[in-house]
Amino acid sequence: MFSAAMEPTNHQIAEQLNLMSELLEIRGENVFKVRAFSRAADIISRYGSPLAPLDEKSLASIPGIGKNIAGKIREIVDTGTFRELEEIKSGIPDSLIELLRLEGIGPKTVATLWTRLSVESIDDLEREARSHRIRALRGFGEKKEESFLKAIAVYREQSGRMTRLEADAVADRVRPAFTPGTYEIAGSYRRGRSTIGDIDVVTTEPAHVINPRLRSLADEVIDEGDKRTSVRVLGKRVDVRFSRPQQFGSMLLYLTGSKAFNIRLREIAISKGFKLNEYGIEDRTAGVRREFSSEAEIFAFLSMDPVVPELREDWGEVERALTRSLPELVRQDAIRGDLHVHSSWSDGRLTIEQLARKGEELGYEYIVCSDHSATLGIAHGLDAEAVGRQSHEIELANRSSSCRIIHGIEVDILADGTLGLPSRTLGDLEIVIASVHSGFSQERDIMTRRVLSAVENDHVDIIGHPTGRILGRRQPYAIDMDRVIDRARETGTALECNASPYRLDIDDVEIRKAVGRGVRIAIGTDAHDPSEFEYMRYGVTTCRRGWASGSDVLNTLGVRDLLEWGS
Ligand code: DGT
Ligand code: CA
Ligand code: CA
Ligand code: ZN
């Protein structure tokens, strides 16, 4: 969920309390207890400042949070969870808890399915729905069966996958089993996809050395062998392949994928008279097999430029590698600042002064401080008057900082396409990000026109998290990104690649489209907390997957050029 070294955000605390409430309800516990947890979760997720630093007494003084729950919050901050939650979890199958992640299924439904039909997993539910046993239950009908099946399909397609943050936690947990320099994490993790199905590792250390180590750190051993071993770590699958050192390049190439890339590469090999697989390349005419200890040797052998893992999707990169015309991708070390950060003026944790220090620590030339506008009631948004006062504070901070705080705003694009602050105020700001935070269910054409009116507004520089998706939780809203991209090019508006691992919005596919049509990408971490500035690397990786070069990404501009662009 989150690493113990980091303090949990309010959102993460609320999630734990909410889960507690749901599990209590599944167990049919006292309704007041159920409600106390869900109400506390609700209050915390809307609370304006971070709770992690508060002591039990201050927590208990917040309306809606009693002494009991204040204690739980402290436990969450200190240990990542709390005892009562772990106890109730141990009495309920994990697969049953997973049912809660299906859209439209709450604890009441789960409890009924569990007690009446012994449904304990998504697979169980699917079987019951397909054999029409659900509709026999009181209060459930044919429609319900259909909606369950649809929710299962949606879930399987995307939300069974890990965020980059979860994948990093799993990767960090398994790394100690391997000796540095003898292994590589492959698969979608290495390609930098925005969500990760499972973790794949290739190692040259032998199975008899690695297997006992894996056994000791895994929650569960799924399958153990000399050629491959699969374990479950933090509830997620990890596949390990053992390779001879002289074949490591071939195995790594194969397991990095993607599958489509592998297939394309195999076709290229065939056209040159070779047979390529995870052990090497067979020269069919000469009848000899060649082995490769590194990927670089394989690309060289096939007379092509090496393809970085981020591009291996069969989106045209193989052809470009053969003609040695791959693009020069943006790099982390070219990033000169963060274009979307919240301060304690809205729902962020750091003061302006602290933002400047953080920027200096990261070696940034600038940070765009972009707090919410006041229309977003939940997050202590800024009105015109507060923007003025904030401007003064930023000016003061900038006098003694090598990292320039740029005065920005994340202004709401309201349902009718107008913005949450008057034009006059927006005109005073150095960078304006406009984002949709409400009314997600608008019809596609209306939503598209709503966002287009922000694109067309002279004050707006960047469209924030343009599709609104929250990974595993909220689908992108219906929007015609092609139209948005075209209009963004015409108006010189940038599109954000929101680097939060919960969003990664826009993603690789849209970035490729945007940069292909000359639209700039603005990477913003959307940091609310000091630990979240690190999300920049997810944003950079996503831009690389979208074929963005340095000049396509606004963050590579120096502060002077950026401000000139924004004016
Ligand atoms: P994921 O785990 O769903 O995020 O995606 P990947 O890409 O990590 O896929 P995974 O874990 O199923 O397999 C790892 C790599 O192994 C994959 O990227 C390419 C390779 N691979 C798996 N199945 C096949 C296959 O049927 N044919 C070929 N050519 N390669 C495969
Ligand atoms: Ca994988
Ligand atoms: Ca796998
Ligand atoms: Zn936002």
Side-chain angles (χ1 to χ4, degrees):
M1 171 143 277
F2 47 86
S3 85
M6 267 195 276
E7 287 199 326
T9 61
N10 290 358
H11 172 75
Q12 288 166 329
I13 295 170
E15 272 193 337
Q16 306 274 63
L17 298 177
N18 199 41
L19 178 62
M20 183 69 191
S21 153
E22 291 176 328
L23 298 186
L24 288 168
E25 195 171 354
I26 291 175
R27 294 300 293 262
E29 299 268 342
N30 179 311
V31 52
F32 294 104
K33 198 168 172 192
V34 170
R35 251 187 243 144
F37 278 100
S38 69
R39 208 160 79 89
D42 200 45
I43 288 163
I44 289 164
S45 64
R46 289 158 188 276
Y47 200 73
S49 60
L51 296 178
L54 302 186
D55 62 16
E56 199 169 321
K57 213 168 138 224
S58 335
L59 288 168
S61 71
I62 297 170
I65 295 180
K67 201 160 165 290
N68 180 36
I69 287 180
K72 310 282 185 247
I73 296 173
R74 284 309 314 166
E75 266 188 84
I76 295 171
V77 174
D78 294 337
T79 70
T81 178
F82 56 101
R83 223 187 50 229
E84 209 185 335
L85 176 65
E86 291 308 307
E87 276 169 18
I88 189 165
K89 260 189 185 169
S90 69
I92 298 179
D94 281 348
S95 57
L96 187 76
I97 299 175
E98 196 183 9
L99 280 173
L100 288 170
R101 301 187 56 181
L102 297 177
E103 203 167 332
I105 297 198
K108 236 189 222 93
T109 306
V110 171
T112 310
L113 294 167
W114 192 27
T115 51
R116 302 287 307 278
L117 292 174
S118 306
V119 165
E120 289 199 351
S121 67
I122 291 177
D123 290 344
D124 289 350
L125 177 62
E126 186 180 25
R127 198 185 49 242
E128 296 299 307
R130 286 204 192 289
S131 52
H132 305 312
R133 282 192 289 267
I134 308 266
R135 62 180 70 165
L137 294 178
R138 188 135 62 107
F140 292 75
E142 215 170 307
K143 274 244 165 64
K144 259 273 154 42
E145 270 176 6
E146 275 163 31
S147 80
F148 288 163
L149 289 172
K150 192 164 161 241
I152 291 170
V154 169
Y155 178 78
R156 289 221 174 108
E157 193 184 296
Q158 47 137 357
S159 48
R161 303 178 62 82
M162 289 175 262
T163 62
R164 301 267 339 155
L165 209 55
E166 289 173 304
D168 277 340
V170 175
D172 289 346
R173 187 65 75 89
V174 293
R175 276 200 178 94
F178 304 95
T179 307
T182 65
Y183 77 101
E184 193 83 56
I185 299 183
S188 53
Y189 183 86
R190 183 162 180 243
R191 301 199 312 281
R193 276 197 62 183
S194 300
T195 62
I196 310 293
D198 67 4
I199 301 278
D200 306 278
V201 187
V202 189
T203 176
T204 57
E205 286 182 292
H208 70 85
V209 172
I210 295 299
N211 282 339
R213 295 188 198 157
L214 288 173
R215 236 180 279 139
S216 73
L217 62 74
D219 316 336
E220 180 198 340
V221 176
I222 300 168
D223 192 22
E224 189 179 304
D226 290 343
K227 284 189 147 175
R228 69 187 83 202
T229 289
S230 295
V231 294
R232 209 172 295 286
V233 173
L234 298 175
K236 306 293 177 183
R237 188 185 174 101
V238 178
D239 292 335
V240 177
R241 279 293 287 263
F242 302 104
S243 169
R244 292 164 53 204
Q246 61 270 37
Q247 297 180 338
F248 183 72
S250 296
M251 187 61 86
L252 178 59
L253 185 77
Y254 176 80
L255 275 185
T256 298
S258 64
K259 191 171 159 181
F261 172 84
N262 287 351
I263 291 170
R264 167 73 67 231
L265 210 59
R266 211 176 310 151
E267 285 170 4
I268 298 301
I270 287 170
S271 72
K272 295 177 188 277
F274 306 128
K275 187 163 173 269
L276 177 150
N277 64 19
E278 63 262 56
Y279 305 108
I281 294 180
E282 216 178 289
D283 187 336
R284 287 173 150 177
T285 39
V288 290
R289 196 163 95 190
R290 290 218 28 182
E291 296 185 318
F292 303 89
S293 60
S294 75
E295 289 182 334
E297 296 166 58
I298 303 173
F299 289 118
F301 184 84
L302 294 174
S303 311
M304 59 198 288
D305 275 348
V307 180
V308 295
E310 295 95 316
L311 291 184
R312 300 184 195 171
E313 297 292 343
D314 192 20
W315 288 350
E317 73 284 359
V318 173
E319 291 71 16
R320 297 282 285 268
L322 285 165
T323 55
R324 303 192 182 276
S325 58
L326 282 167
E328 182 92 37
L329 302 178
V330 61
R331 286 160 40 143
Q332 174 79 35
D333 59 16
I335 299 298
R336 295 162 85 164
D338 194 329
L339 294 172
H340 184 165
V341 160
H342 293 270
S343 81
S344 53
W345 281 75
S346 66
D347 55 351
R349 186 181 286 203
L350 298 183
T351 64
I352 302 287
E353 177 67 32
Q354 289 168 328
L355 282 186
R357 293 293 84 77
K358 185 72 194 175
E360 287 181 330
E361 183 192 315
L362 293 167
Y364 281 163
E365 284 178 35
Y366 51 87
I367 281 177
V368 175
C369 173
S370 51
D371 282 310
H372 291 289
S373 66
T375 43
L376 188 68
I378 57 168
H380 295 194
L382 274 61
D383 59 17
E385 185 265 339
V387 168
R389 282 186 290 124
Q390 189 183 42
S391 167
H392 184 67
E393 190 175 322
I394 287 175
E395 221 169 275
L396 281 178
N398 279 336
R399 281 185 202 162
S400 59
S401 169
S402 65
C403 174
R404 166 85 145 76
I405 301 297
I406 293 177
H407 196 190
I409 194 91
E410 184 182 11
V411 65
D412 284 330
I413 307 173
L414 303 176
D416 62 0
T418 60
L419 300 177
L421 283 169
S423 207
R424 203 165 8 86
T425 309
L426 296 177
D428 289 340
L429 289 154
E430 294 174 295
I431 293 281
V432 174
I433 305 172
S435 313
V436 169
H437 289 116
S438 60
F440 303 117
S441 55
Q442 280 179 341
E443 193 249 305
R444 180 175 152 107
D445 191 52
I446 295 177
M447 181 62 90
T448 303
R449 276 186 286 156
R450 172 179 178 188
V451 172
L452 284 179
S453 49
V455 170
E456 279 154 15
N457 187 301
D458 281 344
H459 297 300
V460 172
D461 302 301
I462 299 166
I463 301 296
H465 43 75
T467 80
R469 75 171 182 182
I470 307 282
L471 290 166
R473 226 170 257 274
R474 193 165 76 210
Q475 298 276 38
Y477 38 70
I479 185 166
D480 185 345
M481 279 305 295
D482 283 319
R483 270 172 77 192
V484 173
I485 289 169
D486 283 339
R487 212 55 201 118
R489 188 201 47 227
E490 288 156 17
T491 56
T493 310
L495 298 181
E496 181 174 68
C497 170
N498 190 292
S500 161
Y502 301 103
R503 291 187 182 270
L504 291 168
D505 181 9
I506 50 178
D507 204 347
D508 44 23
V509 173
E510 295 97 32
I511 291 172
R512 173 109 192 252
K513 238 184 225 171
V515 303
R517 296 194 217 155
V519 172
R520 288 265 185 83
I521 304 298
I523 310 177
T525 60
D526 207 350
H528 287 70
D529 181 289
S531 65
E532 293 170 0
F533 285 84
E534 268 194 54
Y535 294 166
M536 183 57 72
R537 64 198 160 93
Y538 300 132
V540 172
T541 300
T542 303
C543 285
R544 289 170 62 83
R545 287 180 54 78
W547 292 54
S549 65
S551 58
D552 295 319
V553 173
L554 271 181
N555 310 55
T556 65
L557 292 181
V559 68
R560 216 183 268 257
D561 290 336
L562 178 70
L563 289 174
E564 195 172 310
W565 172 86
S567 67

